[in-house]
């Protein structure tokens, strides 16, 4: 999600360095785009529903409100001038990101004034994320989304102005403005998922297997699986439609990105929004806020061993309700604290892409200590620029679409990306079982635990507290597990030394 | 105090600045060059760079920044450092951009933001940044209407 103003530069610096490997694909995008000029002989802009680089624009996408074009078009139009540069004066040497960085320091009134300075500034100051930041900074979660972030801002702070004027006019058409950054931003906000991104479904699906089966074949070897039929007794499945949830939750404030919102207001936003990184409702205290929610679902039988529970209410965050519109989701990450997770879809559907722990997904750059993952591209941009690369890799990701009533098991350490294909409601929990306990200890013990450990305010002591609590509740377990692990290691090395053993593989 | 290794940086107009290595590598560009060219080549690393005035500013900026330990002193010094006119700011920006120095870019960005905030109206903005009004008459009218919320 586009972060608050203060840290935008660090994000843009990251984005700058990300652009280096991305350049190849960026060029491809440009070429493809200028190819569409054949489709659009006279006009240099895109009409509603026009196919752009073979992408499908959302049917609700407005005709581009400002006709921003990618730089590639400029190069195919010799002699043309870029009003972006003309209108910036001696700021034209700044990159798009830096111009936006500067604009991010300004208040709404100042942006409004700048909009009248030149065509270039008019386009720049219309950049929605600027207005989103202003709304969120000033109103936190108490905003009533109205058509766009800019209109939301105006209708809130200048309520006597008739915003339908803005809605009626289609805005100024600026025909000679070329900018990759702004074009990409618009494209990603209005793109639909391509069918070929949704085709591959290679996850193993199981229904009605025993817990032992699950542990032996999936949890122990750390493999993902999609489980069917384990939500059949959930009240939530039948009950959790919009009306029910809104009535039940009333004025309760749910965590949405950097702010907290009422469910009703969030749905109102979700219905209208078209942006690259929609705000996502992701609340770790939903059952504490509304106990009924907690009572209308059950932890599937496979995941009932939940060792963090020994910490009682000192345990890190472990369960979330997740609600979001189509296009919302999480870009590539590994779940914190080395836990495993399950994710159950109650309504809607989610596209999942998973890579094993030792395979860093294309376009993702984790820092060496794992404390930071630089993946500044949004989910949709990842699909545009990197999804194709996965087709050629020998190490293909696991992919699936998880629908209502299905539960996916995400083994610890696996990279995963999720995108909602329609408005979705889901529950997810992270957990530690004996299969995973030693990994979790190792993780919590790390010297930089204070940065890496998440979901708790007591990061430094979590290791000690957890270890002691386990010893108290399950004496001897830790030693038992360590012994088992040692034996396993020894037998592996035995088999390596024994030349009579057949072909084996090293897994690094 | 231990003597740190010094890098010798040559500017485009052939002036040589001796800068402590730890300061020189605040520039991402220099950092990359030194690590790429020779893992041990910290001393006397030469590279052609931007004109002298900018370079001196870089060197000064860093030296001062690293000498100032107290936060208050630093922010005072910083606001003075950036209190320059648009032309100098422009130069600073070019240098910061080329050398890829995040803290310097931050400072310049903030200063440009301050400039804009200080502008009372559209004309002043245009003058400050050397912008010509490129709206057609009809467009100006439309903009005015769309923007009238700003005057309520």
């Amino acid at each position: 999600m586009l972060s608050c103003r203060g840290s935008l530069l660090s994000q843009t610096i990251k984005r700058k360095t990300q652009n280096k490997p991305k350049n190849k694909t960026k060029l491809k995008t440009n070429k493809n785009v200028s190819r569409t000029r054949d489709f659009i002989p006279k006009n240099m802009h895109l009409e509603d529903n026009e196919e752009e680089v073979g992408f499908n624009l959302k049917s609700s996408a407005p005709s581009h409100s400002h006709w921003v074009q990618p730089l590639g078009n400029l190069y195919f139009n010799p002699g043309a001038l870029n009003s972006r540069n003309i209108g910036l004066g001696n700021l034209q040497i700044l990159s798009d990101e830096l111009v936006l960085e500067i604009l991010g320091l300004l208040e709404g009134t100042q942006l409004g004034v700048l909009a009248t300075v030149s065509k270039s500034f008019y386009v720049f100051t219309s950049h929605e994320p600027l207005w989103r930041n202003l709304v969120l900074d000033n109103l936190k979660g108490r905003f009533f989304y109205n058509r766009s972030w800019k209109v939301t801002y105006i209708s809130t702070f200048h309520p006597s102005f008739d915003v339908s004027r803005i809605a009626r006019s289609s805005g100024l058409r600026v025909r000679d403005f070329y900018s990759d950054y702004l074009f990409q931003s618009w494209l990603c906000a209005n793109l639909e998922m391509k069918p070929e991104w949704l085709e591959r479904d290679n996850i193993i699906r199981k229904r009605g297997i025993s817990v032992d089966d699950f542990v032996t074949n999936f949890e122990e070897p750390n493999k993902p699986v999609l489980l069917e039929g384990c939500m059949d007794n959930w009240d939530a499945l039948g009950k959790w439609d919009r009306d029910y949830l809104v009535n039940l939750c009333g004025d309760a404030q749910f965590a949405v990105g950097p702010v907290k919102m009422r469910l009703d207001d969030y749905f109102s936003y979700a219905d209208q929004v078209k942006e690259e990184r929609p705000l996502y409702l992701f609340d770790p205290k939903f059952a504490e806020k509304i106990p009924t929610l907690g009572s209308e679902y059950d932890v599937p039988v496979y995941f009932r061993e939940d060792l963090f529970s020994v910490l009682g209410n000192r345990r890190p965050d472990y369960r979330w309700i997740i609600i979001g519109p189509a296009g919302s989701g999480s870009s590539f990450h590994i779940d914190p604290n080395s836990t495993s997770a399950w994710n159950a879809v109650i309504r809607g559907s989610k596209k999942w892409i998973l890579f094993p722990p030792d395979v860093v997904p294309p376009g993702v750059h984790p820092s060496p200590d794992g404390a930071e993952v630089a993946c500044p591209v949004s989910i949709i941009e990842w699909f545009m620029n990197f999804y194709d690369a996965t087709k050629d890799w020998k190490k293909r990701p696991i992919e699936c679409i998880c629908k209502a009533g299905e539960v996916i098991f995400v083994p610890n350490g696996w990279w995963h990306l999720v995108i909602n294909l329609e408005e979705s409601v889901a529950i997810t929990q992270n957990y530690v079982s004996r299969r995973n306990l030693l990994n979790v200890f190792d993780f919590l013990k790390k010297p930089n635990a204070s940065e890496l450990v998440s979901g708790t305010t007591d990061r430094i002591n979590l290791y000690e507290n957890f270890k002691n609590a386990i010893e108290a509740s399950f004496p001897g377990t830790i030693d038992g597990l360590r012994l088992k692990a040692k034996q396993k290691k020894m037998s592996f090395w035995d088999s390596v030394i024994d030349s009579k053993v057949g072909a084996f593989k090293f897994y690094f | 105090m231990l003597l740190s290794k010094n890098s010798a940086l040559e500017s485009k107009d052939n002036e040589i600045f001796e800068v402590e290595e730890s300061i020189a590598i605040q520039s991402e560009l220099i950092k990359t060059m030194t690590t790429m060219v020779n893992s041990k080549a910290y001393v006397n690393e030469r590279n052609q760079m931007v004109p002298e005035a900018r370079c001196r500013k870089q060197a000064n900026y860093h030296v001062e920044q690293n000498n100032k330990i107290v936060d208050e002193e630093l922010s005072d010094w910083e606001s003075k450092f950036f209190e320059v006119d648009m032309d100098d700011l422009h130069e600073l920006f070019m240098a910061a951009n080329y050398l890829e120095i995040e803290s310097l870019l931050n400072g310049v960005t903030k200063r440009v933001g301050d400039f804009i905030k200080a502008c009372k109206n559209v004309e002043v903005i245009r003058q400050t940044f050397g912008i010509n009004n490129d709206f057609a008459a009809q467009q100006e009218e439309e903009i005015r209407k769309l923007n009238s919320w700003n005057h309520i």
Side-chain angles (χ1 to χ4, degrees), chain B residues 69-134:
Chain B
I69 306 163
V70 181
D71 275 334
E72 275 173 28
E73 252 184 54
L74 182 59
S75 59
D76 267 346
W77 178 85
E78 275 199 350
S79 34
K80 289 214 187 74
F81 182 83
F82 286 112
E83 231 163 74
V84 292
D85 63 17
M86 267 312 291
D87 287 332
D88 284 341
L89 208 59
H90 194 233
E91 297 248 325
L92 266 180
F93 167 73
M94 298 278 276
N97 194 36
Y98 178 79
L99 293 170
E100 295 175 58
I101 304 170
E102 187 173 336
S103 50
L104 199 59
L105 270 177
N106 263 336
V108 173
T109 312
K110 188 163 173 305
R111 185 80 185 105
V112 176
D114 290 340
F115 255 109
I116 297 177
K117 285 184 203 172
C119 289
K120 301 255 188 276
N121 59 42
V122 173
E123 267 318 308
V124 177
I125 297 179
R126 286 185 184 144
Q127 271 171 25
T128 312
F129 297 104
I131 300 171
N132 287 327
N133 180 3
D134 60 350

Side-chain angles (χ1 to χ4, degrees), chain A residues 9-10 13 16 20 83 86-91 93-95 98 101-102 105-106 108-110 112-122 131 150 153-154 158 160-161 165-166 169 171-173, chain B residues 86-87 90 93-94 97 100 102 105-106 108-114 116-117 120-122 125-126 128-136 138-140 142-152:
Chain A
L9 184 67
S10 49
I13 297 281
K16 263 168 89 176
K20 284 181 195 142
S83 66
I86 298 170
L88 284 179
N90 54 23
L91 292 176
I93 43 153
L94 276 77
S95 64
L98 276 168
E101 174 80 13
I102 294 170
L105 300 170
L106 305 176
T109 334
Q110 288 150 357
V113 170
L114 268 183
T116 60
V117 166
S118 65
K119 290 197 274 192
S120 188
F121 270 118
Y122 172 75
W131 297 96
K150 182 170 176 183
Y153 178 91
I154 296 171
H158 303 268
S160 53
F161 180 79
R165 270 192 254 176
I166 299 182
S169 98
L172 203 65
R173 276 149 229 241
Chain B
M86 267 312 291
D87 287 332
H90 194 233
F93 167 73
M94 298 278 276
N97 194 36
E100 295 175 58
E102 187 173 336
L105 270 177
N106 263 336
V108 173
T109 312
K110 188 163 173 305
R111 185 80 185 105
V112 176
D114 290 340
I116 297 177
K117 285 184 203 172
K120 301 255 188 276
N121 59 42
V122 173
I125 297 179
R126 286 185 184 144
T128 312
F129 297 104
I131 300 171
N132 287 327
N133 180 3
D134 60 350
F135 287 117
Q138 196 194 14
Q139 290 174 325
E140 281 223 78
E142 213 179 327
I143 292 264
R144 212 191 311 275
K145 278 195 213 144
L146 289 175
N147 227 42
S148 49
W149 58 267
N150 215 4
H151 305 295
I152 296 173

Side-chain angles (χ1 to χ4, degrees), chain A residues 291-310:
Chain A
T292 308
L293 290 176
S295 71
E296 292 184 335
Y297 83 96
D298 249 330
V299 176
V301 68
Y302 310 103
F303 311 117
R304 300 242 168 107
E305 194 174 311
D306 171 26
L307 294 178
F308 264 135
S309 58
V310 300

Side-chain angles (χ1 to χ4, degrees), chain A residues 277-290:
Chain A
R277 293 172 169 90
L279 292 172
Y280 204 9
L281 191 155
F282 220 108
D283 194 303
K285 299 291 181 208
F286 70 98
E288 287 80 348
K289 291 173 187 171
I290 310 275

